[in-house]
Amino acid sequence: MPELPEVETIVRELRRKTKGQKIRDVKIKSQKIIAPQSSQYFRKNLLDQKIVDVNRRGKLIMIGLPKERFLLIHLKLTGQLVFNQKPHKHTHVIFQIGRQTLNYNDLRKFGFLLITDKNGLGDILTKRFKFGPEPFGRDFTLAYLVRNFAVRRAPIKVLLLDQTILAGLGNIYVDESLFRAGIHPKRRASSLTNKELQNLYQSIKEVLKQAIAAGGSSSQNYVRTSGQPGKFHNLHNVYRRHGQPCLVCGSEIKRTVVAGRGTHFCPRCQV
DNA sequence: CACTTTGTTTCCAC
DNA sequence: TGTGGAAACAAAGT
C-alpha cells in the first residue's frame, strides 16, 4: 500500500537508477489506467524522453521530462513501480530505460499516470492536489499543528488523512501514529492538549522514520521497486491487528470506522 | 455475494 | 458560507 515511506523509497531508487538515461520504449498494456490522455498520446510523448528529476509530493510521483513536460504517477493502494521484473496480469505500463525496465503494476487500477506541460502541472499541483507541508519539511512545526488543529472539531484522524493539512500520511501511518501518541482516533482535534499535540508531532515523525527504515508496509501487496516486500507491517502495533492483544498492555485491539476508513486502536492505550 | 481497500470528490444537513 | 459527516467512485481479490 503506497504511502509516504514507500513513495520516498521509490523516488530514491528512481533517482539512482534512471539518472541521465532515456526512456527508449513504453509499452502500454492497458489503456484504462491512463487518464485523461490516450495510450497513443502517452507513447508519443514519452519515447526518447530523459528522466531529469524526480520529486515527491505526497503520494504523487513527478518525473520531469525535457521541453517542460512532466510525467505524473499517482500511486494508490495496489499501485507498484518495480525494476526489472517480469510483467504479469496487472502490469499496465512498461518503461524501457536504458537496459532496465520499470513496470507499473496496479491490481485495483486506482492509480493513474499522465503527461502534462508546465501549465498543466501548475494546475494539477495547485488545484487538484493541494498539499500541505511534508512531515520532514521545515514548515511542518509543532506550532503549525497547533494552529491547524485547535480550531477544528473533526475527529483527529480525519485531519491527519487530509493531504491539504499534512502531505503523505495514509491510513496505516495515521493509525500507527495515533497509537504511538496514545490518542483515540475519534478525539476532536480541538480537544487535544498541547502535551498531546507535541506527542503526536513526535509520533508522526518517529513512525514514518521507522517505516522508511523498514522499507514500507507490505500489508496488502505493496512491494519495493526491487520487487521485495517491505518489513514495516511486522512492526504494526494496531493496523489490521483487531482481535489481537495490544503489544503494550494486552487489551484487545478494536476496529471501527472513521472517515469511511477501517480504523484500528487500543481502547486502553488510546484515550 | 458482501466486504475490503485508497485518495478524492460530491452531496447533504446544520 | 463554512464545516463536518457520510456516501460515492474507481476495480478486483477474499
Side-chain angles (χ1 to χ4, degrees):
Chain A
M1 320 182 66
E3 293 186 21
L4 179 137
E6 293 87 342
V7 171
E8 189 158 273
T9 304
I10 290 167
V11 168
R12 199 181 301 131
E13 293 192 40
L14 270 175
R15 273 215 182 94
R16 186 163 53 81
K17 293 197 176 186
T18 64
K19 199 157 194 184
Q21 296 190 62
K22 285 181 178 177
I23 297 174
R24 286 201 314 228
D25 195 14
V26 181
K27 301 186 179 96
I28 310 291
K29 296 183 69 184
S30 159
Q31 294 197 25
K32 279 187 189 171
I33 196 70
I34 300 152
Q37 281 88 355
S38 71
S39 120
Q40 272 190 340
Y41 181 98
F42 193 73
R43 178 185 295 271
K44 196 180 90 190
N45 284 286
L46 256 188
L47 285 178
D48 287 327
Q49 300 293 329
K50 203 186 242 183
I51 293 181
V52 292
D53 197 9
V54 182
N55 290 309
R56 173 172 61 80
R57 289 288 182 277
K59 295 169 182 68
L60 197 70
I61 293 178
M62 178 168 58
I63 300 176
L65 305 171
K67 297 175 190 169
E68 300 204 323
R69 304 192 75 78
F70 299 89
L71 163 66
L72 294 178
I73 304 174
H74 195 210
L75 290 180
K76 300 210 280 192
L77 191 58
T78 54
Q80 308 175 335
L81 281 173
V82 293
F83 279 106
N84 306 319
Q85 303 280 307
K86 227 174 157 180
H88 52 70
K89 191 161 78 158
H90 304 300
T91 301
H92 304 291
V93 182
I94 302 170
F95 301 96
Q96 184 74 45
I97 306 168
R99 281 161 48 214
Q100 307 194 76
T101 58
L102 179 68
N103 294 352
Y104 174 69
N105 305 327
D106 194 351
L107 185 148
R108 297 264 192 281
K109 298 188 197 167
F110 279 8
F112 68 81
L113 297 84
L114 68 89
I115 301 275
T116 186
D117 59 16
K118 206 173 178 180
N119 289 336
L121 185 71
D123 280 355
I124 286 162
L125 292 181
T126 56
K127 291 174 190 163
R128 186 179 164 91
F129 298 98
K130 293 182 223 163
F131 292 110
E134 304 273 341
F136 295 116
R138 223 177 248 176
D139 41 358
F140 178 54
T141 60
L142 179 57
Y144 174 84
L145 211 58
V146 172
R147 200 160 59 237
N148 276 275
F149 288 176
V151 295
R152 300 292 297 269
R153 300 163 55 135
I156 181 68
K157 170 154 179 173
V158 171
L159 301 190
L160 289 176
L161 284 172
D162 187 340
Q163 305 299 304
T164 68
I165 296 178
L166 184 60
L169 279 190
N171 205 29
I172 295 177
Y173 301 109
V174 168
D175 278 6
E176 293 298 324
S177 296
L178 285 171
F179 172 81
R180 194 185 171 97
I183 297 168
H184 194 288
K186 285 189 178 175
R187 278 279 297 282
R188 286 189 175 198
S190 56
S191 78
L192 297 181
T193 64
N194 282 345
K195 178 102 182 162
E196 285 173 322
L197 285 167
Q198 188 168 4
N199 214 341
L200 180 60
Y201 177 76
Q202 290 299 335
S203 297
I204 289 169
K205 293 190 168 203
E206 270 305 308
V207 164
L208 289 181
K209 215 166 107 186
Q210 282 185 12
I212 291 169
S217 304
S218 292
S219 175
Q220 303 287 314
N221 78 334
Y222 166 77
V223 292
R224 312 181 63 171
T225 54
S226 61
Q228 296 297 309
K231 289 177 183 161
F232 188 69
H233 54 287
N234 298 320
L235 302 175
H236 287 176
N237 279 293
V238 287
Y239 186 76
R240 281 190 158 267
R241 287 199 66 248
H242 46 296
Q244 299 176 48
C246 172
L247 299 173
V248 172
C249 77
S251 302
E252 188 183 322
I253 300 297
K254 296 293 182 191
R255 181 186 184 277
T256 181
V257 174
V258 180
R261 293 285 166 266
T263 297
H264 315 78
F265 65 101
C266 170
R268 193 151 147 202
C269 295
Q270 295 173 260
V271 191

